[in-house]
Amino acid sequence: MTAMTVNERPVDFDMDPETPLLHALRDAANLTGTKYGCGVGDCGACMVLVDGEALRSCLITLAEAEGRFITTIEGLSPDRGHPVQQAMVAEQAIQCGFCTPGIVIAAAALLRGNPEPTEAQIREAVPNLCRCGVYPRLVRAIQRASRVGRRRETISAAPAPGIDPADAARAVPGMRVEGE
Ligand code: FES
Ligand code: FES
């Protein structure tokens, strides 16, 4: 068993400790918002917060994640109303959406440490690859999320539909969620 906290819930993964965290999250914890893009650390689609830092979960083993606090896209905001999520929708910075969860995680980590980043800082902190090429809108969205986070602007649009967090972390063979 490898124990850690995922989206504020204690979980034990009964899997090979060398399993990439990405696969444990997707295949055992049913947290499929975290995407498998390249599998080798290039694309950023698999980013999750590990103790508040945006890291590529395809490069982290379960053993390395033991005892740490993991936040996936499903756990970032209970109502999908994080300023980055609101701004990504408002700026139409999503096309197919495959890269979006990793981008949101990277941007959320950036704004947490630097609430008013420059464009250069955004491009450096959010290096995620997007096959649809949303990069200009992506920068605008993160700048807008920065304004929302600093209470210079509000976005009134309803959050985009998505997986209800209550549905996302179901225990399946290979994982035990305490309390279930
Ligand atoms: S799947 Fe992890 S960086 Fe591409
Ligand atoms: S929106 Fe399609 S890969 Fe980024």
Side-chain angles (χ1 to χ4, degrees), residues 7-180:
N7 297 339
E8 301 185 355
R9 304 175 78 179
V11 298
D12 292 319
F13 287 103
D14 185 12
M15 305 174 80
D16 182 340
E18 293 306 306
T19 302
L21 176 62
L22 168 64
H23 299 307
L25 293 172
R26 288 182 54 83
D27 300 339
N30 196 34
L31 293 165
T32 54
T34 303
K35 300 305 183 199
Y36 178 15
C38 64
V40 293
D42 286 338
C43 72
C46 64
M47 279 187 169
V48 298
L49 296 177
V50 180
D51 294 337
E53 183 181 3
L55 297 179
R56 291 162 170 82
S57 61
C58 69
L59 298 182
I60 306 167
T61 64
L62 279 179
E64 291 168 332
E66 183 158 31
R68 304 180 77 174
F69 290 81
I70 312 298
T71 303
T72 70
I73 189 68
E74 291 90 346
L76 185 67
S77 167
D79 63 356
R80 302 183 292 280
H82 187 285
V84 175
Q85 291 171 304
Q86 293 182 343
M88 290 285 286
V89 174
E91 289 292 332
Q92 300 184 27
I94 304 164
Q95 287 194 16
C96 77
F98 193 84
C99 67
T100 307
I103 286 171
V104 170
I105 290 288
L110 167 66
L111 294 180
R112 188 171 176 185
N114 179 2
E116 194 175 1
T118 64
E119 179 174 341
Q121 289 169 330
I122 291 172
R123 292 188 186 281
E124 182 180 350
V126 186
N128 307 49
L129 300 182
C130 171
R131 289 177 298 184
C132 302
V134 298
Y135 300 111
R137 283 176 278 166
L138 175 61
V139 172
R140 286 200 298 273
I142 297 172
Q143 290 170 327
R144 192 165 177 182
S146 164
R147 295 194 296 275
V148 172
R150 290 181 288 114
R151 303 187 191 286
R152 303 294 168 85
E153 179 180 339
T154 57
I155 297 175
S156 58
I163 298 173
D164 187 323
D167 290 337
R170 292 191 297 270
V172 297
M175 189 191 86
R176 181 170 63 85
V177 177
E178 289 189 7
E180 289 190 352

